[in-house]
Amino acid sequence: NAGVTQTPKFQVLKTGQSMTLQCAQDMNHNSMYWYRQDPGMGLRLIYYSASEGTTDKGEVPNGYNVSRLNKREFSLRLESAAPSQTSVYFCASSNGLGDIQYFGAGTRLSVL
Amino acid sequence: QKEVEQDPGPLSVPEGAIVSLNCTYSNSAFQYFMWYRQYSRKGPELLMYTYSSGNKEDGRFTAQVDKSSKYISLFIRDSQPSDSATYLCAMTPLNDYKLSFGAGTTVTVRA
């Protein structure tokens, strides 16, 4: 009963390095999301994919790119990491409009 | 002004106390309301899900929505140390994929 699986769980990068965060869900959900969580800021939406083949910007998309690889998988890429991207990243999925979102366990990223 | 306001706390209560959490919002289009619980270093998990105004009870948890006041609440009765977590409110309109989250309230229940 995996739900939403994120890899890696932890990562340390140097400024300017690139990396891809992976997310997969096994609930046959249509929609997938990427959030970042910073102290005192709550969850902020980076990008989302309403359905396979579509992606849209959220509240804080700058410095990130996403790929909806198929219905199960949604990746987040940092092309040139900056210290301001140090955060905890969560992937989530849902059936669609107005529906409950189910979250993964998160990726803790530090950019030095 | 944020779309969803939530007092970040922290809130510390003795075991057995009633915990009261709340959020206010500004967007009258919100129709679906949720409360998530997040333990330290874990992902948020859904606690309660309600549609429009009214009350919903699930065990020791009660969620209330007052759309006329743009105010939602979560009550935890007979609180336990295992209820120590951050509680996030979230809400969305009927026709949107995105959730709007409060900043979260950190609750500690003292044994």
Side-chain angles (χ1 to χ4, degrees), chain A residues 55-105:
Chain A
T55 60
D56 284 286
K57 294 178 181 179
E59 183 184 355
V60 289
N62 291 345
Y64 305 95
N65 285 302
V66 291
S67 295
R68 183 74 183 266
L69 305 169
N70 48 55
K71 191 172 185 179
R72 290 187 63 248
E73 298 173 290
F74 189 39
S75 63
L76 178 72
R77 183 161 178 83
L78 287 71
E79 291 290 353
S80 179
S84 60
Q85 293 178 306
T86 293
S87 188
V88 182
Y89 291 85
F90 289 101
C91 177
S93 70
S94 76
N95 270 323
L97 289 169
D99 198 25
I100 298 163
Q101 293 184 15
Y102 296 87
F103 286 80

Side-chain angles (χ1 to χ4, degrees), chain B residues 48-66:
Chain B
M48 300 287 278
Y49 176 65
T50 56
Y51 170 67
S52 197
S53 284
N55 294 357
K56 183 175 182 178
E57 190 172 315
D58 184 0
R60 296 184 294 111
F61 299 89
T62 299
Q64 291 184 349
V65 175
D66 181 350

Side-chain angles (χ1 to χ4, degrees), chain A residues 33 37 45 90 98 101 108, chain B residues 36 38 41 43 49 96-97:
Chain A
Y33 311 80
Q37 187 175 39
L45 184 65
F90 289 101
Q101 293 184 15
R108 294 184 174 275
Chain B
Y36 284 85
Q38 185 176 21
R41 305 181 81 84
Y49 176 65
D96 203 342
Y97 293 94

Side-chain angles (χ1 to χ4, degrees), chain B residues 4-54:
Chain B
V4 180
E5 298 280 357
Q6 182 177 8
D7 187 340
L11 195 60
S12 180
V13 300
E15 183 175 357
I18 295 175
V19 177
S20 174
L21 306 168
N22 56 75
C23 290
T24 58
Y25 62 94
S26 56
N27 188 347
S28 58
F30 288 147
Q31 293 282 353
Y32 295 98
F33 303 91
M34 302 160 211
W35 285 96
Y36 284 85
R37 177 175 62 194
Q38 185 176 21
Y39 289 116
S40 181
R41 305 181 81 84
K42 301 289 187 184
E45 57 177 343
L46 183 75
L47 201 55
M48 300 287 278
Y49 176 65
T50 56
Y51 170 67
S52 197
S53 284

